[in-house]
Amino acid sequence: MDEQKPGVPQVLEPLVTRVLADNPSPFTHTGTQTHLVGTADLAVIDPGPDDPRHIDALVRAIAGRPVTAIVITHTHRDHSPGAAPLKARTGAPIMGCAPLALDDLGPRADASFDADYAPDAVMAEGDSVSGSDWTLTAVATPGHTSNHLAFALPETKALFTGDHVMGWSTTIVSPPDGDMAAYMDSLIKLQARDDRIYYPAHGDPVDKPQRLVRGLIGHRKQREGQILRLLDAEPRTIPAMVAKMYVGIDPRLFPAAERSVLAHLYELRDRHIVADQGDLWRKI
């Protein structure tokens, strides 16, 4: 794809336009992407952070057309806080995932939960909202967060994957709300679908989605295997495992890697394969 510039709309296909928020970071890549769906009337998916510049850019891209719905995949602060100011500007209802606000135990101060998120309607698996030439149907994809939804656009067989599947990196699964077993189940669920393309909230569109999902499942199984091999040798702490498993990554991502390893360990503990003794983890 051509390089994105914050606030400049990019038409990805006739029914889909994306607008990049100016919030790049090691965790958001180039920033959070808001997607506008439709032509005569619109849905706005994940209006992003509460940044007046981004809201102004969205209003310019909307260009006076009616907004049927502001649709939210999950309530991390780089996705949902823009919903309230955009509702104030457009009058559109906010709908999508259920509210969820937890104390952030993870590595991302910018992605803690949006405590002010107040949807007008909560959507669950199979619920739809539609406009003149589009339909968005909720696909429950817990794992990254317990309230995460993807949204299918059946008119073009596209899927808006939020943070569950991204176009540049694997997603963070950070306990206590992030759940590795749920994440894997959601990947298997997507693998059984026949979507043509994914539009993630971070990174480029994914034009071979089944191949990517297979790779993500394989990647997590590989990480699980690494953990078990390390624990076969001796009990270890999570930082010691991360130092062995994530050689060469940006040190700013080490806290996120520690959360994902913890998510794997919790899942393995639930299967009675490992146990924890204080900070040490061991094979059973």
Side-chain angles (χ1 to χ4, degrees):
M1 299 292 295
D2 294 335
E3 183 180 353
Q4 284 181 276
K5 295 180 180 178
V8 178
Q10 280 190 317
V11 177
L12 302 179
E13 60 175 273
L15 284 180
V16 180
T17 298
R18 69 178 177 181
V19 182
L20 178 68
D22 191 12
N23 63 333
S25 80
F27 301 99
T28 61
H29 191 41
T30 56
T32 304
Q33 296 171 148
T34 299
H35 290 93
L36 277 58
V37 180
T39 54
D41 58 345
L42 304 174
V44 179
I45 301 177
D46 283 351
D50 185 1
D51 178 348
R53 298 168 301 165
H54 186 56
I55 303 305
D56 286 346
L58 294 179
V59 170
R60 288 194 299 271
I62 290 165
R65 291 171 289 179
V67 179
T68 301
I70 300 165
V71 180
I72 307 299
T73 63
H74 67 295
T75 49
H76 276 157
R77 284 210 310 248
D78 61 321
H79 286 257
S80 59
L86 188 62
K87 177 181 177 178
R89 299 279 292 272
T90 64
I94 301 167
M95 58 182 62
C97 69
L100 175 65
L102 300 175
D103 292 334
D104 183 23
L105 300 181
R108 292 186 55 189
D110 67 317
S112 58
F113 289 94
D114 173 14
D116 297 323
Y117 172 68
D120 297 290
V122 172
M123 300 175 71
E125 173 77 24
D127 290 343
S128 293
V129 59
S130 59
S132 60
D133 55 3
W134 56 269
T135 308
L136 290 176
T137 300
V139 180
T141 48
H144 174 65
T145 61
S146 60
N147 65 344
H148 196 286
L149 297 175
F151 291 95
L153 177 65
E155 286 83 359
T156 70
K157 296 184 73 173
L159 187 71
F160 298 90
T161 56
D163 279 4
H164 179 63
V165 175
M166 299 191 292
W168 73 290
S169 173
T170 56
T171 196
I172 295 171
V173 180
S174 179
D177 186 61
D179 184 288
M180 187 60 69
Y183 170 74
M184 293 294 285
D185 286 345
S186 294
L187 286 176
I188 292 167
K189 178 180 182 177
L190 293 195
Q191 192 176 30
R193 294 174 54 86
D194 64 346
D195 302 295
R196 173 185 61 87
I197 193 167
Y198 289 172
Y199 293 122
H202 307 278
D204 282 334
V206 178
D207 59 6
K208 294 182 173 60
Q210 300 306 318
R211 185 167 74 181
L212 178 62
V213 170
R214 282 196 303 273
L216 291 173
I217 292 170
H219 172 74
R220 291 299 185 182
K221 289 180 177 178
Q222 180 188 38
R223 289 296 191 204
E224 178 183 292
Q226 285 180 293
I227 290 168
L228 293 176
R229 285 192 296 276
L230 287 170
L231 295 184
D232 276 335
E234 61 181 354
R236 297 177 192 262
T237 65
I238 290 174
M241 285 186 265
V242 167
K244 293 281 191 180
M245 293 169 61
Y246 292 85
V247 177
I249 69 164
D250 185 332
R252 293 174 294 178
L253 297 178
F254 265 69
E258 291 179 1
R259 301 307 296 180
S260 281
V261 169
L262 179 62
H264 275 293
L265 289 166
Y266 280 175
E267 195 267 342
L268 289 166
R269 186 178 65 184
D270 289 344
R271 289 159 51 196
H272 306 291
I273 296 172
V274 304
D276 54 315
Q277 301 169 308
D279 292 335
L280 282 175
W281 290 82
R282 63 176 178 84
K283 286 281 293 292
I284 294 176

